[in-house]
Amino acid sequence: MKTSTRVLLGLALTMALLVAAALWLGRTDDGSGRTVLRLRVWDEQFVAPYRASLAEFERANPDLEVRITVVPWASYQQKLRLDVAGGTADDLFWTNLYEDYADAGRLVDVGAALGPDAASGWDPAAVTQYTRAGKLWAVPQFVDGGTAVFYNRDLLAAAGVDPGELDAVRWGPGADDTFRPLLRRLAAVAPWAYNAADDFQSIELPYLGSAGGQFQRDERFVFDSPQGVAAFTYLTRLIADGLAPSAADTETDSEFAKNAFLQGKLALFQSGTYNLAQIARQAPFDWGIAMLPRGPVGRVSTNNAIGVAGNAASAHPDAVRRVLTWLGSAEGNRHFAQDGATVPAVVADQRIYRDFWAARGIDVSPFFDVLAGPRISAGGGPGFTAALEAVQNVLGEMFRGRIPVPEALSRARAAGEAAVRSG
């Protein structure tokens, strides 16, 4: 055989192999005829509940398989933006900042796909969060509940503080402030009394709301109000007075305050249900849960929800619809509650969560009772992801004491608005 003939045959064989590989990599089945869908999440601890739920689904739908991809939170939003823009996003994916995708036509219209009654059994606040321009853009999976305060009973006892005192304290100017004196008592027996920090959901929003302020109004940033100045001044002074960990620690390690609480170095840890399971497993001391401190206008919390969105560009829209229907059902959603991992978005399943913790002697009512009062929205709108990052970058400098509070809030608002314009 001539050399040139061998070369041509070799090239032809190589091309055939490349084509076969491309066809195989582009397959959306596993060789058995089943359609394979991919679901993207950002938290490894939810893989087990999803697998349990989807195993039931797959038994009833043997023509479908759903595989789970975990992309860590630190890179999740950026990677999702790139993948959606490039047409390589998963068929279904977690979202909490969805507006840009909805406005660009990148998401499945859940109401049209699942029917007008689909949302009737879901947490109303979660439905509101994922409704835009009169349409629903994600199937709520779980809600955080409100914010509450975990406390170390041993440290409270050492400081002579009765846990009942926590439910009566209030923060505010002058003589109205009973929270700071209580924190001083706790600081006498622990390295830190409380986790005042640059924590958007658990600290900043509750203080801003309980001061009478808002983060956004009509999708415009308004947190640099007199109420915002009062809230952030109070928080930064707690840090400056040594009643809370240094911002240098909490800014570089988002887990610092939680770990300090678990190590018995922090008396009060203000947070949400998303940390309950870990504290229950790892805290080596007796602990409990109390209500948020009151502010000038009372107790105000937010109630964030995580939803699953359908990729409008999926090659299998009917399969996506079937999975969304299952994940939004009581049968599909209940797996999130069975080990106390989180609060299901299906209202009928939320009792499972509360019963789980009640059976272990843990009263989770503060996370729910606070939601009976006013709530503060976490915000949203076009470009919100980039805008929030820009805002938090400035607020981080404020918490470190490098920028005075009024100036920092003004600069943070300007940075957020600039990010929205550039997006």
Side-chain angles (χ1 to χ4, degrees):
M1 185 180 295
K2 294 182 179 179
T3 301
S4 59
T5 303
R6 287 199 299 269
V7 170
L8 288 173
L9 287 173
L11 288 172
L13 179 59
T14 300
M15 289 299 295
L17 290 173
L18 288 173
V19 169
L23 289 172
W24 174 255
L25 290 173
R27 291 179 69 102
T28 55
D29 63 66
D30 62 355
S32 66
R34 292 183 298 179
T35 296
V36 176
L37 298 182
R38 287 171 171 80
L39 166 64
R40 182 182 303 194
V41 304
W42 62 65
D43 193 333
E44 184 76 39
Q45 70 174 328
F46 286 94
V47 171
Y50 267 119
R51 279 269 45 98
S53 176
L54 291 169
E56 283 190 41
F57 172 79
E58 290 166 358
R59 283 194 291 271
N61 297 268
D63 60 317
L64 295 182
E65 178 185 352
V66 183
R67 297 177 182 172
I68 301 170
T69 303
V70 179
V71 176
W73 171 252
S75 59
Y76 188 92
Q77 301 293 357
Q78 181 182 16
K79 181 168 175 53
L80 182 62
R81 286 198 300 272
L82 294 173
D83 290 346
V84 169
T88 58
D90 299 274
D91 303 276
L92 305 114
F93 49 82
W94 270 7
T95 183
N96 61 347
L97 301 171
Y98 69 94
E99 291 89 347
D100 289 339
Y101 304 128
D103 292 351
R106 303 284 193 167
L107 305 182
V108 170
D109 179 340
V110 170
L114 274 60
D117 296 330
S120 62
W122 300 338
D123 187 288
V127 173
T128 299
Q129 180 178 334
Y130 288 104
T131 298
R132 182 171 178 78
K135 296 181 179 181
L136 185 61
W137 296 106
V139 173
Q141 295 295 276
F142 53 88
V143 297
D144 289 334
T147 301
V149 177
F150 296 92
Y151 59 86
N152 182 320
R153 289 184 186 273
D154 296 340
L155 292 178
L156 263 64
V161 174
D162 187 279
E165 292 184 57
L166 297 178
D167 289 333
V169 294
R170 63 176 64 242
W171 73 270
D176 290 337
D177 185 10
T178 59
F179 190 41
R180 184 186 296 269
L182 182 141
L183 294 181
R184 289 198 184 102
R185 293 161 62 190
L186 292 171
V189 300
W192 302 289
Y194 181 60
N195 63 314
D198 184 11
D199 182 329
F200 181 62
Q201 181 170 334
S202 296
I203 301 292
E204 293 172 5
L205 286 177
Y207 273 86
L208 181 60
S210 63
Q214 295 175 282
F215 190 70
Q216 275 189 319
R217 186 185 303 120
D218 299 327
E219 297 187 354
R220 294 184 63 84
F221 297 108
V222 293
F223 53 79
D224 58 336
S225 61
Q227 295 87 352
V229 171
F232 286 102
T233 297
Y234 189 88
L235 287 170
T236 54
R237 285 180 178 170
L238 292 181
I239 299 171
D241 290 347
L243 299 174
S246 163
D249 291 322
T250 56
E251 287 289 319
T252 55
D253 180 4
S254 62
E255 302 287 290
F256 184 90
K258 179 174 66 178
N259 290 335
F261 180 76
L262 290 171
Q263 293 161 9
K265 298 177 180 178
L266 180 72
L268 304 179
F269 177 52
Q270 186 165 305
S271 189
T273 56
Y274 41 87
N275 282 319
L276 174 57
Q278 183 179 359
I279 288 172
R281 289 194 308 268
Q282 298 181 12
F285 48 81
D286 195 13
W287 56 276
I289 306 168
M291 296 284 286
L292 282 175
R294 297 178 187 271
V297 301
R299 293 187 178 97
V300 181
S301 180
T302 190
N303 182 19
N304 185 51
I306 302 301
V308 166
N311 185 350
S314 171
H316 306 286
D318 184 64
V320 167
R321 178 192 60 77
R322 289 158 62 189
V323 175
L324 288 175
T325 299
W326 171 256
L327 294 177
S329 69
E331 296 82 2
N333 198 238
R334 62 184 169 85
H335 294 272
F336 292 122
Q338 289 181 331
D339 292 327
T342 191
V343 185
V346 174
V347 175
D349 288 337
Q350 292 180 355
R351 174 52 57 186
I352 303 173
Y353 176 86
R354 300 183 73 154
D355 289 347
F356 175 90
W357 290 112
R360 286 152 181 79
I362 297 172
D363 179 11
V364 297
S365 60
F367 294 115
F368 297 90
D369 291 348
V370 71
L371 297 176
R375 303 184 191 185
I376 181 171
S377 170
F384 185 78
T385 304
L388 182 60
E389 181 178 355
V391 167
Q392 292 300 113
N393 285 340
V394 179
L395 295 186
E397 294 296 292
M398 177 192 71
F399 274 94
R400 288 174 181 262
R402 295 172 179 169
I403 311 174
V405 170
E407 178 187 347
L409 296 185
S410 179
R411 285 171 56 176
R413 177 182 55 77
E417 292 172 349
V420 170
R421 289 194 299 271
S422 64

